[in-house]
Amino acid sequence: MNPRSYFSCYPLQIATFHYKEGFRTEPQHAEHGLIGIVQSGAGMLFLSNGRSCPLREGSFFFARPGDISFELMADPGGSLKLSLVHYAAAQLDEDRLTPGGYELVHGDNCSYRAASAQTESLLSNLRQALNEFGAIGDMRKQLALYELLLHLHAHQHAPSRAGTDSIQTTIDYMERRLSKPLQISELPRLAGMTPSSYCRAFKKLTGLSPGSYLTKLRMLKAKELMTDKQASLRDIAVSVGYQDELYFSRVFKKTEGISPSIYLKRRDRKIAVVSSHALQDHLLALGILPIAAPSFPTYHLTPSGFPSYLHERLTGTVPLNAENPIRSSDVVPLGPDLILRTKLRHDLSDKHWGEEGSAILIDHSTSWEHYFRAIASRVDRMAEAERAIRAMSVLEQEARRKLEPVTKQGKWTIIRLLPDNCRIYGVKEHALTDLFYGRLQFQAEERISHGTYLDDAFDQLVEWDPEQLLVIWSEEPVIHQFNADPRWQQLRAVRENRVYYPDSREWDPWGPIGREHMIKAMVRFFVKL
């Protein structure tokens, strides 16, 4: 290779497959660069040139576009779970860009083996990076892929098998004794090495210290046990070597980023939300933590881009930037059992959301209860939904009573100010106005008879010259823009100081949690008037 040429690799997606015992795939060709990584179980890799090799946990193999085809088979006595990492690769040679690939295959081998815990950690980092956007997100995707490639490359080209086999013996020993007391000081003796040389060799092979690797193994096993609906947190802790449940919980949260109790909420089904609405609100109200959900990072001022009242409750949920197009490749690699979708603001006519009905489109509605019941019926939580709807009705009645002194005074017009656009909301066909005019019984300006909202309606607003204005979801610079317009200054509501600007950034009437947050905020705001 020319010393001035180099490879550029960019991850595309991660797809995870779980093959039942004895299942054999059809022949497959790699459309892009591909890495196969076995996460559990055992099986065989068959190549079209007649070669084959066994696969077990930690095994990995590579394929490039144009390479020979391959087939995968699960062991007849068990299952095989593996992830396929698809990546685009190009060789850059001075000023020329040509198709290429990262040449990782060497010798007569067709598969290799690496420390599974470290590989799983790097895979997890890559999955998370695939859900980030923008220039920084692109760099993180590439960095995560290169870290994975470097890790696998080091194991593929390991110069000495003797030391590696000794370390692998201790790793196998750890895996067999996860539920039993284990002293790290036992391991160097088992490997026939001094403690210092053992630790150096172990970290060189796995990228982790022996203690960290053992913890990683225990957490991986704990997450596997959490798929059992009958398993208690106490039983899981004991099964992976922790007699103290609280200590296990602290270790789990430190290594996995979320508490075991939150992780357990996912063990029924892994559900992703793909919508321009924050439908994760509905799932949380039903006691379900989604694995991915829409976020609005330039609107909500939280690290996740979720509303502040959902941010902590969605710890561990992957944010999907709904301000940009959400693609199936952002969601499907996360392995959801169910994808709840509404029609997207940016509809890409994407046909790859899920196979065999795993992606369900929820029809548009002007009613928050419709969305809630539609989602609850899909996740078998109708009883919980009806209880929450009844509780919301009680909350609305209490709020109406508290707001009665305000709602009886004057007529209201709700507007939203956008750049060069004034939107006037109607008295029907919108969850906000249904709550404001219907449930809470504010009096509407009598000339408002339309549904949803009127766009580009500033001239209409000037003609109506309303008594009171409620300005919602409007940015301060845009408000200043309208304030500078002489016609705005001549409005009766402006002249009589009856224009109200509540902090409505997080007013969301579409879901039970956001609706409760909004109602309480409205009561606090209007009671002070």
Side-chain angles (χ1 to χ4, degrees):
M1 184 192 299
N2 186 315
R4 293 183 63 186
S5 67
Y6 58 94
F7 289 103
S8 173
C9 298
Y10 188 85
L12 300 174
Q13 68 168 336
I14 302 176
T16 301
F17 301 90
H18 199 160
Y19 300 123
K20 297 180 180 179
E21 57 184 51
F23 179 83
R24 182 164 177 167
T25 68
E26 296 293 327
Q28 303 179 53
H29 282 88
E31 296 182 9
H32 303 281
L34 183 145
I35 311 168
I37 300 172
V38 178
Q39 295 173 272
S40 64
M44 291 291 294
L45 170 67
F46 299 96
L47 304 181
S48 57
N49 64 1
R51 294 167 62 192
S52 64
C53 55
L55 299 173
R56 64 190 182 103
E57 185 175 331
S59 296
F60 62 94
F61 61 91
F62 302 91
R64 294 184 303 163
D67 279 355
I68 54 181
S69 65
F70 65 90
E71 299 173 46
L72 297 164
M73 186 182 81
D75 191 274
S79 60
L80 177 66
K81 180 182 179 182
L82 80 161
S83 289
L84 298 181
V85 180
H86 300 263
Y87 66 94
Q91 179 179 334
L92 285 75
D93 188 355
E94 294 181 338
D95 296 327
R96 294 180 293 111
L97 180 65
T98 58
Y102 188 18
E103 177 57 81
L104 289 169
V105 178
H106 80 289
D108 296 324
N109 295 327
C110 57
S111 78
Y112 312 89
R113 192 161 186 264
S116 57
Q118 178 67 1
T119 306
E120 182 64 29
S121 178
L122 292 169
L123 263 178
S124 178
N125 292 343
L126 180 55
R127 286 191 185 96
Q128 184 174 351
L130 282 168
N131 289 284
E132 299 188 30
F133 301 91
I136 297 297
D138 288 343
M139 287 188 281
R140 285 179 176 158
K141 290 181 181 71
Q142 286 189 285
L143 176 61
L145 175 62
Y146 283 126
E147 286 179 338
L148 177 63
L149 288 172
L150 284 169
H151 167 68
L152 300 179
H153 185 71
H155 286 78
Q156 182 191 4
H157 292 270
S160 170
R161 291 302 308 170
T164 299
D165 288 343
S166 296
I167 299 299
Q168 188 60 53
T169 298
T170 65
I171 290 175
D172 294 340
Y173 179 73
M174 289 183 192
E175 292 174 346
R176 292 195 305 271
R177 293 180 58 87
L178 284 182
S179 63
K180 301 175 182 178
L182 191 153
Q183 297 295 324
I184 297 298
S185 57
E186 301 174 20
L187 302 178
R189 180 181 54 80
L190 187 62
M193 304 169 71
T194 66
S196 59
S197 60
Y198 173 77
C199 289
R200 286 195 299 270
F202 193 99
K203 190 162 188 177
K204 182 177 180 180
L205 179 66
T206 67
L208 298 170
S209 68
S212 297
Y213 190 86
L214 177 60
T215 299
K216 180 66 72 174
L217 281 177
R218 283 175 164 159
M219 295 305 106
L220 289 172
K221 183 63 176 178
K223 289 191 288 186
E224 179 184 333
L225 294 173
M226 286 179 184
T227 61
D228 181 0
K229 296 180 181 180
Q230 305 303 317
S232 68
L233 199 57
R234 167 67 180 164
D235 292 339
I236 292 169
V238 171
S239 296
V240 295
Y242 295 92
Q243 299 303 313
D244 186 339
E245 181 183 332
L246 293 178
Y247 180 65
F248 163 72
S249 295
R250 289 197 296 270
V251 174
F252 189 96
K253 185 170 185 179
K254 182 178 179 180
T255 56
E256 303 302 320
I258 58 174
S259 68
S261 59
I262 292 177
Y263 193 92
L264 280 169
K265 290 182 180 179
R266 296 179 176 171
R267 64 182 173 182
D268 291 335
R269 277 192 292 180
K270 292 162 59 178
I271 301 176
V273 177
V274 177
S275 174
S276 297
H277 297 305
L279 299 186
Q280 60 265 37
D281 181 321
H282 301 72
L283 287 175
L284 288 173
L286 295 170
I288 298 171
L289 179 68
I291 61 169
S295 70
F296 300 86
T298 62
Y299 187 79
H300 293 300
L301 307 179
T302 59
S304 62
F306 298 135
S308 62
Y309 55 86
L310 297 181
H311 173 69
E312 291 295 332
R313 300 177 67 165
L314 288 169
T315 299
T317 297
V318 174
L320 304 172
N321 188 344
E323 295 168 357
N324 296 323
I326 301 176
R327 296 174 171 83
S328 59
S329 58
D330 300 326
V331 182
V332 174
L334 299 174
D337 300 309
L338 181 66
I339 302 173
L340 296 175
R341 295 181 56 216
T342 61
K343 186 173 178 58
L344 294 171
R345 184 178 304 163
H346 309 284
D347 189 354
L348 301 179
S349 300
D350 195 330
K351 299 178 181 178
H352 306 288
W353 280 109
E355 304 296 334
E356 300 174 357
S358 62
I360 296 173
L361 186 65
I362 297 175
D363 293 334
H364 171 74
S365 175
T366 60
S367 164
W368 79 273
E369 290 100 334
H370 170 86
Y371 281 120
F372 199 29
R373 288 187 173 112
I375 291 171
S377 68
R378 297 295 186 177
V379 297
D380 301 320
R381 299 286 176 94
M382 284 301 294
E384 291 88 339
E386 293 304 327
R387 282 197 296 270
I389 289 171
R390 288 195 296 271
M392 185 61 63
S393 178
V394 171
L395 179 65
E396 290 169 352
Q397 292 172 31
E398 292 175 350
R400 182 169 66 241
R401 178 179 53 80
K402 293 177 182 178
L403 292 170
E404 191 172 355
V406 180
T407 58
K408 289 184 175 181
Q409 296 179 8
K411 305 291 196 303
W412 293 83
T413 301
I414 305 173
I415 65 171
R416 182 180 184 182
L417 302 177
L418 297 160
D420 301 316
N421 182 12
C422 174
R423 180 175 290 173
I424 303 178
Y425 285 86
V427 290
K428 54 188 176 181
E429 299 174 2
H430 196 285
L432 170 71
T433 52
D434 169 71
L435 175 62
F436 190 79
Y437 294 128
R439 314 290 178 93
L440 300 181
Q441 296 187 355
F442 281 81
Q443 300 178 68
E445 156 67 45
E446 55 269 6
R447 285 167 291 188
I448 300 177
S449 59
H450 60 277
T452 318
Y453 53 76
L454 298 177
D455 256 332
D456 299 316
F458 188 48
D459 289 340
Q460 185 73 72
L461 186 71
V462 171
E463 180 184 336
W464 286 352
D465 196 16
E467 180 181 349
Q468 295 182 115
L469 286 175
L470 179 65
V471 183
I472 62 165
W473 299 328
S474 303
E475 300 292 339
E476 193 170 333
V478 180
I479 293 173
H480 291 325
Q481 173 192 336
F482 277 86
N483 279 335
D485 190 314
R487 293 178 299 166
W488 175 270
Q489 293 299 327
Q490 292 303 312
L491 290 173
R492 176 172 50 155
V494 176
R495 289 185 283 106
E496 296 178 0
N497 198 28
R498 296 173 69 86
V499 182
Y500 302 98
Y501 303 92
D503 182 3
S504 59
R505 177 179 288 271
E506 294 193 330
W507 285 14
D508 187 351
W510 293 102
I513 300 174
R515 194 176 181 89
E516 179 180 354
H517 175 83
M518 177 179 174
I519 290 171
K520 291 179 178 179
M522 291 175 72
V523 169
R524 287 194 300 269
F525 177 79
F526 286 109
V527 166
K528 292 178 182 178
L529 296 182

